[in-house]
PDB file of all heavy atoms in Angstrom:
ATOM      1  N   SER A 405     -26.811 155.160  -6.931  1.00 95.00           N
ATOM      2  CA  SER A 405     -25.383 155.256  -7.153  1.00 95.00           C
ATOM      3  C   SER A 405     -24.968 154.544  -8.430  1.00 95.00           C
ATOM      4  O   SER A 405     -23.812 154.589  -8.845  1.00 95.00           O
ATOM      5  CB  SER A 405     -24.629 154.648  -5.970  1.00 95.00           C
ATOM      6  OG  SER A 405     -25.083 153.323  -5.784  1.00 95.00           O
ATOM      7  N   HIS A 406     -25.941 153.876  -9.077  1.00 96.00           N
ATOM      8  CA  HIS A 406     -25.706 153.281 -10.366  1.00 96.00           C
ATOM      9  C   HIS A 406     -27.031 153.033 -11.086  1.00 96.00           C
ATOM     10  O   HIS A 406     -28.086 153.017 -10.456  1.00 96.00           O
ATOM     11  CB  HIS A 406     -24.885 151.945 -10.290  1.00 96.00           C
ATOM     12  CG  HIS A 406     -25.525 150.889  -9.458  1.00 96.00           C
ATOM     13  ND1 HIS A 406     -24.935 149.644  -9.289  1.00 96.00           N
ATOM     14  CD2 HIS A 406     -26.665 150.834  -8.715  1.00 96.00           C
ATOM     15  CE1 HIS A 406     -25.720 148.911  -8.512  1.00 96.00           C
ATOM     16  NE2 HIS A 406     -26.745 149.591  -8.147  1.00 96.00           N
ATOM     17  N   SER A 408     -27.907 150.406 -12.460  1.00 97.00           N
ATOM     18  CA  SER A 408     -28.364 149.002 -12.356  1.00 97.00           C
ATOM     19  C   SER A 408     -29.726 148.944 -11.647  1.00 97.00           C
ATOM     20  O   SER A 408     -30.457 147.963 -11.802  1.00 97.00           O
ATOM     21  CB  SER A 408     -27.354 148.166 -11.580  1.00 97.00           C
ATOM     22  OG  SER A 408     -26.089 148.265 -12.203  1.00 97.00           O
ATOM     23  N   GLN A 411     -32.552 148.147 -13.885  1.00 96.00           N
ATOM     24  CA  GLN A 411     -32.755 146.691 -14.175  1.00 96.00           C
ATOM     25  C   GLN A 411     -33.889 146.125 -13.315  1.00 96.00           C
ATOM     26  O   GLN A 411     -34.759 145.451 -13.820  1.00 96.00           O
ATOM     27  CB  GLN A 411     -31.502 145.908 -13.799  1.00 96.00           C
ATOM     28  CG  GLN A 411     -30.332 146.013 -14.708  1.00 96.00           C
ATOM     29  CD  GLN A 411     -29.297 144.959 -14.275  1.00 96.00           C
ATOM     30  OE1 GLN A 411     -29.638 143.893 -13.800  1.00 96.00           O
ATOM     31  NE2 GLN A 411     -28.037 145.280 -14.519  1.00 96.00           N
ATOM     32  N   ARG A 432     -22.631 159.840  -6.306  1.00 94.00           N
ATOM     33  CA  ARG A 432     -21.796 159.160  -5.307  1.00 94.00           C
ATOM     34  C   ARG A 432     -21.109 160.201  -4.436  1.00 94.00           C
ATOM     35  O   ARG A 432     -20.744 161.294  -4.928  1.00 94.00           O
ATOM     36  CB  ARG A 432     -20.711 158.293  -6.005  1.00 94.00           C
ATOM     37  CG  ARG A 432     -21.347 157.038  -6.551  1.00 94.00           C
ATOM     38  CD  ARG A 432     -20.324 156.057  -7.092  1.00 94.00           C
ATOM     39  NE  ARG A 432     -21.029 155.125  -7.952  1.00 94.00           N
ATOM     40  CZ  ARG A 432     -20.452 154.152  -8.640  1.00 94.00           C
ATOM     41  NH1 ARG A 432     -19.147 153.983  -8.577  1.00 94.00           N
ATOM     42  NH2 ARG A 432     -21.170 153.361  -9.406  1.00 94.00           N
ATOM     43  N   GLN A 446     -24.346 157.131 -16.457  1.00 97.00           N
ATOM     44  CA  GLN A 446     -24.099 155.747 -16.878  1.00 97.00           C
ATOM     45  C   GLN A 446     -25.123 155.308 -17.922  1.00 97.00           C
ATOM     46  O   GLN A 446     -26.202 155.914 -18.030  1.00 97.00           O
ATOM     47  CB  GLN A 446     -24.230 154.792 -15.685  1.00 97.00           C
ATOM     48  CG  GLN A 446     -23.125 154.939 -14.655  1.00 97.00           C
ATOM     49  CD  GLN A 446     -23.203 153.856 -13.567  1.00 97.00           C
ATOM     50  OE1 GLN A 446     -24.299 153.417 -13.218  1.00 97.00           O
ATOM     51  NE2 GLN A 446     -22.082 153.509 -13.008  1.00 97.00           N
ATOM     52  N   GLU A 448     -26.839 151.609 -18.751  1.00 98.00           N
ATOM     53  CA  GLU A 448     -26.961 150.200 -18.349  1.00 98.00           C
ATOM     54  C   GLU A 448     -27.614 149.436 -19.485  1.00 98.00           C
ATOM     55  O   GLU A 448     -28.486 149.962 -20.160  1.00 98.00           O
ATOM     56  CB  GLU A 448     -27.912 150.186 -17.119  1.00 98.00           C
ATOM     57  CG  GLU A 448     -28.010 148.895 -16.412  1.00 98.00           C
ATOM     58  CD  GLU A 448     -26.871 148.715 -15.436  1.00 98.00           C
ATOM     59  OE1 GLU A 448     -26.139 149.676 -15.154  1.00 98.00           O
ATOM     60  OE2 GLU A 448     -26.701 147.584 -14.958  1.00 98.00           O
ATOM     61  N   GLY A 449     -27.188 148.205 -19.694  1.00 98.00           N
ATOM     62  CA  GLY A 449     -27.837 147.375 -20.700  1.00 98.00           C
ATOM     63  C   GLY A 449     -28.328 146.070 -20.056  1.00 98.00           C
ATOM     64  O   GLY A 449     -27.651 145.558 -19.154  1.00 98.00           O
ATOM     65  N   PHE A 486     -19.102 141.451  -9.462  1.00 94.00           N
ATOM     66  CA  PHE A 486     -20.209 142.336  -9.110  1.00 94.00           C
ATOM     67  C   PHE A 486     -21.246 141.435  -8.448  1.00 94.00           C
ATOM     68  O   PHE A 486     -21.441 140.289  -8.879  1.00 94.00           O
ATOM     69  CB  PHE A 486     -20.814 142.993 -10.366  1.00 94.00           C
ATOM     70  CG  PHE A 486     -19.847 143.855 -11.111  1.00 94.00           C
ATOM     71  CD1 PHE A 486     -19.226 143.387 -12.266  1.00 94.00           C
ATOM     72  CD2 PHE A 486     -19.521 145.120 -10.671  1.00 94.00           C
ATOM     73  CE1 PHE A 486     -18.302 144.160 -12.969  1.00 94.00           C
ATOM     74  CE2 PHE A 486     -18.610 145.898 -11.357  1.00 94.00           C
ATOM     75  CZ  PHE A 486     -17.996 145.429 -12.502  1.00 94.00           C
ATOM     76  N   PHE A 488     -24.376 141.419  -8.652  1.00 96.00           N
ATOM     77  CA  PHE A 488     -25.593 141.131  -9.421  1.00 96.00           C
ATOM     78  C   PHE A 488     -25.298 140.320 -10.690  1.00 96.00           C
ATOM     79  O   PHE A 488     -26.235 140.023 -11.450  1.00 96.00           O
ATOM     80  CB  PHE A 488     -26.326 142.414  -9.778  1.00 96.00           C
ATOM     81  CG  PHE A 488     -25.372 143.571 -10.064  1.00 96.00           C
ATOM     82  CD1 PHE A 488     -24.949 143.831 -11.355  1.00 96.00           C
ATOM     83  CD2 PHE A 488     -24.933 144.375  -9.037  1.00 96.00           C
ATOM     84  CE1 PHE A 488     -24.072 144.857 -11.599  1.00 96.00           C
ATOM     85  CE2 PHE A 488     -24.041 145.417  -9.272  1.00 96.00           C
ATOM     86  CZ  PHE A 488     -23.616 145.666 -10.557  1.00 96.00           C
ATOM     87  N   THR A 489     -24.046 139.974 -10.962  1.00 97.00           N
ATOM     88  CA  THR A 489     -23.748 139.141 -12.134  1.00 97.00           C
ATOM     89  C   THR A 489     -22.833 137.991 -11.738  1.00 97.00           C
ATOM     90  O   THR A 489     -21.999 138.108 -10.855  1.00 97.00           O
ATOM     91  CB  THR A 489     -23.062 139.976 -13.248  1.00 97.00           C
ATOM     92  OG1 THR A 489     -22.077 140.838 -12.668  1.00 97.00           O
ATOM     93  CG2 THR A 489     -24.057 140.801 -14.041  1.00 97.00           C
ATOM     94  N   GLY A 520     -18.329 147.363 -17.038  1.00 97.00           N
ATOM     95  CA  GLY A 520     -18.485 146.144 -16.286  1.00 97.00           C
ATOM     96  C   GLY A 520     -19.650 145.361 -16.873  1.00 97.00           C
ATOM     97  O   GLY A 520     -20.578 145.950 -17.429  1.00 97.00           O
ATOM     98  N   CYS A 521     -19.605 144.015 -16.771  1.00 98.00           N
ATOM     99  CA  CYS A 521     -20.664 143.228 -17.363  1.00 98.00           C
ATOM    100  C   CYS A 521     -20.708 141.836 -16.770  1.00 98.00           C
ATOM    101  O   CYS A 521     -19.879 141.477 -15.934  1.00 98.00           O
ATOM    102  CB  CYS A 521     -20.472 143.147 -18.881  1.00 98.00           C
ATOM    103  SG  CYS A 521     -18.912 142.363 -19.328  1.00 98.00           S
ATOM    104  N   GLY A 522     -21.666 141.054 -17.210  1.00 98.00           N
ATOM    105  CA  GLY A 522     -21.731 139.671 -16.746  1.00 98.00           C
ATOM    106  C   GLY A 522     -23.089 139.065 -17.009  1.00 98.00           C
ATOM    107  O   GLY A 522     -23.963 139.681 -17.606  1.00 98.00           O
ATOM    108  N   ALA A 543     -26.007 141.559 -18.532  1.00 98.00           N
ATOM    109  CA  ALA A 543     -26.126 142.974 -18.204  1.00 98.00           C
ATOM    110  C   ALA A 543     -24.769 143.624 -18.368  1.00 98.00           C
ATOM    111  O   ALA A 543     -23.726 142.936 -18.299  1.00 98.00           O
ATOM    112  CB  ALA A 543     -26.618 143.143 -16.769  1.00 98.00           C
ATOM    113  N   PHE A 544     -24.781 144.900 -18.612  1.00 98.00           N
ATOM    114  CA  PHE A 544     -23.491 145.659 -18.656  1.00 98.00           C
ATOM    115  C   PHE A 544     -23.796 147.084 -18.238  1.00 98.00           C
ATOM    116  O   PHE A 544     -24.924 147.549 -18.280  1.00 98.00           O
ATOM    117  CB  PHE A 544     -22.882 145.609 -20.063  1.00 98.00           C
ATOM    118  CG  PHE A 544     -23.779 146.116 -21.158  1.00 98.00           C
ATOM    119  CD1 PHE A 544     -23.818 147.469 -21.489  1.00 98.00           C
ATOM    120  CD2 PHE A 544     -24.573 145.235 -21.880  1.00 98.00           C
ATOM    121  CE1 PHE A 544     -24.650 147.915 -22.508  1.00 98.00           C
ATOM    122  CE2 PHE A 544     -25.414 145.679 -22.901  1.00 98.00           C
ATOM    123  CZ  PHE A 544     -25.457 147.036 -23.203  1.00 98.00           C
ATOM    124  N   GLY A 545     -22.751 147.764 -17.790  1.00 98.00           N
ATOM    125  CA  GLY A 545     -22.904 149.166 -17.393  1.00 98.00           C
ATOM    126  C   GLY A 545     -21.648 149.942 -17.691  1.00 98.00           C
ATOM    127  O   GLY A 545     -20.540 149.460 -17.429  1.00 98.00           O
TER     128      GLY A 545
HETATM  129  N1  DAH B 276     -23.263 149.057 -11.665  1.00 94.60           N
HETATM  130  C1  DAH B 276     -21.852 148.968 -11.914  1.00 94.60           C
HETATM  131  C2  DAH B 276     -21.138 150.240 -11.442  1.00 94.60           C
HETATM  132  O1  DAH B 276     -21.788 151.207 -11.203  1.00 94.60           O
HETATM  133  C3  DAH B 276     -21.585 148.771 -13.375  1.00 94.60           C
HETATM  134  C4  DAH B 276     -22.043 147.449 -13.848  1.00 94.60           C
HETATM  135  C5  DAH B 276     -21.214 146.337 -13.795  1.00 94.60           C
HETATM  136  C6  DAH B 276     -23.297 147.295 -14.391  1.00 94.60           C
HETATM  137  C7  DAH B 276     -21.619 145.110 -14.245  1.00 94.60           C
HETATM  138  C8  DAH B 276     -23.724 146.046 -14.831  1.00 94.60           C
HETATM  139  C9  DAH B 276     -22.850 144.954 -14.762  1.00 94.60           C
HETATM  140  O2  DAH B 276     -24.921 145.846 -15.373  1.00 94.60           O
HETATM  141  O3  DAH B 276     -23.281 143.756 -15.201  1.00 94.60           O
HETATM  142  O4  DAH B 276     -19.950 150.218 -11.310  1.00 94.60           O
END
Side-chain angles (χ1 to χ4, degrees):
S405 56
H406 58 178
S408 304
Q411 285 190 32
R432 285 186 198 177
Q446 291 186 329
E448 189 83 11
F486 299 101
F488 37 91
T489 43
C521 60
F544 57 87

